[in-house]
Amino acid sequence: MKNITLAITGLIFCFSLKAQYNCSGNRYVDSLFTVSVTQNVLYGNNKLYTGVYTDLFMDIYTPDNDTATARPLIIFAPKGSFLQCDKAEWTMQQLCRHFAARGYVTASINYRVGVDYVQALTNPQGEFFKAVMRAFHDYKAAIRFFRKDAATTNTYKIDPNMIIAGGSSAGAITALHVAYLDQVSEIPAQIDTTGLGGIEGLTGNAGYSSSVNYVVNLCGAIADTSWIQAGNVPLISMHGNLDTEVPYGTAVVTMIVPITEVDGSASIKPRADHLGIENPFYTFWGKTHIPYDPNAGGSYLMYMDTVLNYVRTNLYNWICTASGVNENNLAESVKIYPNPATDRVTVEFPSPLQNSSEIVLSDLSGKTILSGKANKGASEITLFTDKIKPGMYLLCTGTQVTKLEIR
């Protein structure tokens, strides 16, 4: 059993300067585009666990009438316990459409699923680890597909230097392994990987990199946090603390029989913190597995809204450039008054805005409480706070994050 101390804390990331993109005009924040979907794009071919070859497809979502020629790409992988998957499931469609409407190119992939049940009864760890490997091999082929496209026909106009790996449940497990299982030596010695293709796999599009730049982990886990090393890519994690299917912390995954011990999001966090890897983390307190999924019932729509807002804000924080923010003249200090506030708070800009800018008030968990748009040419904006519960909040104004007390 791994001896891991869980130091679970909340990190609030608003709008920082760690970026590479011009995000003026609220690109990557607001819904600016209608979205087109190209279904069943063939990206690879490989053997199922039965030895039969199968074609692998994905659905690609693109923003209509977008003039950008090098757009960040997010690839999402669906749930399914590595026994089934559906690239068109509701959660995948919500994620892909949401981010494509904001200027990303997005894709939802099908990957190989299934295990040899006879072998799984005697060696469940080995069989399910091979299922994970088949999935992340396919995922890597999808990444290479887009880099190949960027280098040849450039149909999808993605930036090959900005590829984000995301997924839900089993799909998040897959994305985490794509990012962090990057050495043959990390594959457990007792796992027979004969014919699987090492780290990269044999699904297709050889000759292009399968590396990613960021990970969106929605209720996922990794087999061993020691695979996460200093200098590895950052990630966003969201997870229910009562999850009994994919552990929130470190525990044994069970599917009829115990399979193996894994490290969930709450165990990934202290490892990433220790290594200095950026890793905003959101806990669905009191919730079990994927509370944003329709199968969860209840308030799943509210939780999906939370997912979209949290991932959107943190991706914006990571990819948007200082130069893009500077177009709104927010690099210089803005004035925020009064603080503490009662019924209103005013944000005063150092000079009139050259582009519109969104001002966001969030609570200390990162949930958006109030927002307002300052239009091009504005010198200030006032947010009315008279209906907000007294307490401490964060006011995000482009490059500046200010703690605001409301009384």
Side-chain angles (χ1 to χ4, degrees), residues 25-26 30 328 330 347-349 351-360 371-383 397:
N26 286 332
D30 289 347
N328 278 335
L330 293 179
V347 178
E348 183 179 304
F349 309 113
S351 58
L353 295 177
Q354 295 178 16
N355 290 285
S356 62
S357 178
E358 185 174 29
I359 310 301
V360 177
S371 66
K373 182 181 289 187
N375 294 322
K376 179 179 178 181
S379 297
E380 65 178 33
I381 182 174
T382 296
L383 300 180
T397 60

Side-chain angles (χ1 to χ4, degrees), residues 9-32:
T9 57
L11 293 182
I12 305 299
F13 291 88
C14 203
F15 300 104
S16 78
L17 293 177
K18 292 186 174 183
Q20 306 174 17
Y21 281 88
N22 183 322
C23 301
S24 60
N26 286 332
R27 188 181 179 92
Y28 310 121
V29 175
D30 289 347
S31 180
L32 303 175

Side-chain angles (χ1 to χ4, degrees), residues 72-122:
L73 167 71
I74 313 175
I75 301 175
F76 289 106
K79 65 180 182 182
S81 303
F82 299 102
L83 300 177
Q84 59 183 355
C85 74
D86 179 6
K87 61 183 170 58
E89 64 152 339
W90 184 85
T91 294
M92 293 295 99
Q93 291 192 42
Q94 297 302 303
L95 290 165
C96 287
R97 287 189 177 277
H98 180 88
F99 288 99
R102 285 154 178 80
Y104 296 85
V105 174
T106 59
S108 176
I109 66 168
N110 274 347
Y111 51 88
R112 286 172 295 161
V113 294
V115 296
D116 184 327
Y117 288 100
V118 174
Q119 293 296 321
L121 289 174
T122 57

Side-chain angles (χ1 to χ4, degrees), residues 29-235:
V29 175
D30 289 347
S31 180
L32 303 175
F33 305 97
T34 57
V35 175
S36 292
V37 185
T38 305
Q39 296 180 318
N40 297 321
V41 177
L42 177 68
Y43 75 86
N45 177 279
N46 209 337
K47 288 191 294 186
L48 295 167
Y49 74 97
T50 59
V52 176
Y53 279 88
T54 187
D55 287 335
L56 294 155
F57 299 93
M58 60 180 158
D59 295 342
I60 302 174
Y61 298 68
T62 52
D64 293 332
N65 303 313
D66 182 18
T67 58
T69 57
R71 303 174 291 197
L73 167 71
I74 313 175
I75 301 175
F76 289 106
K79 65 180 182 182
S81 303
F82 299 102
L83 300 177
Q84 59 183 355
C85 74
D86 179 6
K87 61 183 170 58
E89 64 152 339
W90 184 85
T91 294
M92 293 295 99
Q93 291 192 42
Q94 297 302 303
L95 290 165
C96 287
R97 287 189 177 277
H98 180 88
F99 288 99
R102 285 154 178 80
Y104 296 85
V105 174
T106 59
S108 176
I109 66 168
N110 274 347
Y111 51 88
R112 286 172 295 161
V113 294
V115 296
D116 184 327
Y117 288 100
V118 174
Q119 293 296 321
L121 289 174
T122 57
N123 182 20
Q125 181 187 28
E127 284 306 300
F128 276 90
F129 193 88
K130 286 192 288 185
V132 173
M133 287 193 69
R134 286 189 287 267
F136 85 73
H137 283 163
D138 296 346
Y139 201 122
K140 287 187 171 190
I143 295 167
R144 294 193 296 265
F145 169 92
F146 280 104
R147 284 206 168 98
K148 180 179 180 180
D149 175 77
T152 54
T153 61
N154 200 24
T155 301
Y156 301 104
K157 296 181 173 58
I158 66 106
D159 180 355
N161 298 311
M162 186 59 70
I163 297 179
I164 300 160
S168 175
S169 187
I173 293 172
T174 302
L176 286 164
H177 286 79
V178 165
Y180 303 120
L181 178 55
D182 54 5
Q183 302 291 330
V184 172
S185 60
E186 293 170 337
I187 300 174
Q190 68 271 27
I191 306 300
D192 180 9
T193 60
T194 303
L196 291 182
I199 289 296
E200 290 300 315
L202 304 169
T203 302
N205 307 310
Y208 296 87
S209 171
S210 63
S211 65
V212 297
N213 304 92
Y214 205 92
V215 181
V216 177
N217 162 34
L218 303 177
C219 304
I222 191 168
D224 193 333
T225 57
S226 70
W227 298 342
I228 304 173
Q229 298 291 323
N232 280 173
V233 299
L235 72 156

Side-chain angles (χ1 to χ4, degrees), residues 12-15 26 29-30 309-310 312-314 316 330 336 345 347 349 357-363 366-374 381-383 385 388 393-404 406:
I12 305 299
F13 291 88
C14 203
F15 300 104
N26 286 332
V29 175
D30 289 347
N309 287 337
Y310 192 75
R312 182 183 68 236
T313 298
N314 282 286
Y316 180 94
L330 293 179
I336 297 172
V345 61
V347 178
F349 309 113
S357 178
E358 185 174 29
I359 310 301
V360 177
L361 183 73
S362 65
D363 65 17
K367 178 182 178 182
T368 297
I369 303 299
L370 184 65
S371 66
K373 182 181 289 187
I381 182 174
T382 296
L383 300 180
T385 58
I388 296 177
Y393 296 86
L394 294 177
L395 189 62
C396 310
T397 60
T399 62
Q400 185 170 313
V401 182
T402 301
K403 188 173 283 188
L404 175 70
I406 297 178

